[in-house]
């Protein structure tokens, strides 16, 4: 018996980890150079009982373990809108138990961070990173629950395989904090 679901997601992983990996796999199927994508996370069992028509359209016809989360992609994030400003405008209905964001960024290995020139503004720093020979493209999928629980899935473009996705609860703390803030009253 395999310990992975049909999607390749480890069955032993908690519901939030499975949701983050499911979103990562979905976005990976769209290819790279994608815009940021926002997802609401809803309790699958509650969705099936309260919205059976929607659940059926989403293909949620089989029984699932309690606590299973279903990601529902939201409208596209407005182009040119700074992500932190956009996230500050979100108010989730009570039926949404969590949210997730998938975004691509350039990053440098820690060994290169020491060589960042002092005094660069954000635009010049972004240009410097984009031109650095050790830069790496990464897709970050960060998922949070209302209560503050968080999970991340990171995929490097140069290791674009589901087997090489790194997961952890504190890999992208700033983004997780920003997503958690979308639930504050």
């Amino acid at each position: 018996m395999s310990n992975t679901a049909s999607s390749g997601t480890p069955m032993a992983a908690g519901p939030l980890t499975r949701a983050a990996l499911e979103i990562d796999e979905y976005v990976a199927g769209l290819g790279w150079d994608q815009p940021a994508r926002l997802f609401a996370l809803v309790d699958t069992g509650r969705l099936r009982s309260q919205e059976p028509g929607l659940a059926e359209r989403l293909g949620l016809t089989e029984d699932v373990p309690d606590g299973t989360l279903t990601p529902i992609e939201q409208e596209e994030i407005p182009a040119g809108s700074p992500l932190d400003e956009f996230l500050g405008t979100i108010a989730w209905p009570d039926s949404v138990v969590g949210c997730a964001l998938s975004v691509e960024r350039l990053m440098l290995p820690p060994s290169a961070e020491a060589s960042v020139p002092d005094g660069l503004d954000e635009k010049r720093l972004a240009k410097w990173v984009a031109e650095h020979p050790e830069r790496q493209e990464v897709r970050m999928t960060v998922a949070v629950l209302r209560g503050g629980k968080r999970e991340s899935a990171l995929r490097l473009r140069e290791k674009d395989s589901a087997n090489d996705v790194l997961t952890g609860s504190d890999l992208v703390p700033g983004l997780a904090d920003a997503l958690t803030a979308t639930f504050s009253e």
Side-chain angles (χ1 to χ4, degrees):
M1 188 160 140
S2 171
N3 67 346
T4 59
S6 59
S7 67
T9 302
M11 292 298 284
L16 192 59
T17 302
R18 286 196 303 270
L21 288 168
E22 183 180 328
I23 292 167
D24 169 77
E25 189 173 316
Y26 163 72
V27 176
L30 302 173
W32 284 86
D33 305 317
Q34 295 292 316
R37 295 178 182 277
L38 182 67
F39 299 82
L41 299 177
V42 297
D43 181 280
T44 306
R46 194 176 318 148
L47 177 68
R48 287 185 61 209
S49 66
Q50 294 177 355
E51 301 281 346
L54 175 59
E56 192 170 321
R57 282 198 308 276
L58 293 173
L60 304 173
T61 54
E62 296 178 21
D63 284 335
V64 294
D66 284 347
T68 299
L69 300 169
T70 295
I72 300 175
E73 188 168 5
Q74 303 301 290
E75 291 182 23
E76 197 167 295
I77 296 173
S81 175
L83 198 51
D84 56 343
E85 289 178 20
F86 172 75
L87 291 175
T89 67
I90 295 174
W92 297 106
D94 290 342
S95 59
V96 174
V97 298
C99 67
L101 183 76
S102 184
V103 62
E104 295 176 15
R105 291 288 183 258
L106 291 176
M107 62 180 245
L108 294 176
S111 60
E113 289 179 13
S115 65
V116 175
D118 290 332
L120 294 182
D121 62 23
E122 196 171 321
K123 193 172 187 176
R124 291 190 324 192
L125 177 61
K127 184 178 185 321
W128 185 86
V129 170
E131 294 171 351
H132 196 282
E134 293 179 66
R135 74 186 178 281
Q136 294 183 28
E137 289 180 78
V138 63
R139 179 180 302 115
M140 303 178 286
T141 302
V142 179
V144 301
L145 295 179
R146 275 186 191 272
K149 187 169 181 162
R150 49 184 63 189
E151 188 62 60
S152 304
L154 298 183
R155 181 185 293 247
L156 293 174
R157 189 169 189 159
E158 69 180 30
K159 292 184 177 183
D160 194 1
S161 157
N163 294 332
D164 289 317
V165 175
L166 180 65
T167 59
S169 62
D170 210 24
L171 298 176
V172 193
L175 188 52
D177 290 345
L179 289 173
T180 301
T182 66
F183 291 104
S184 48
E185 301 296 319

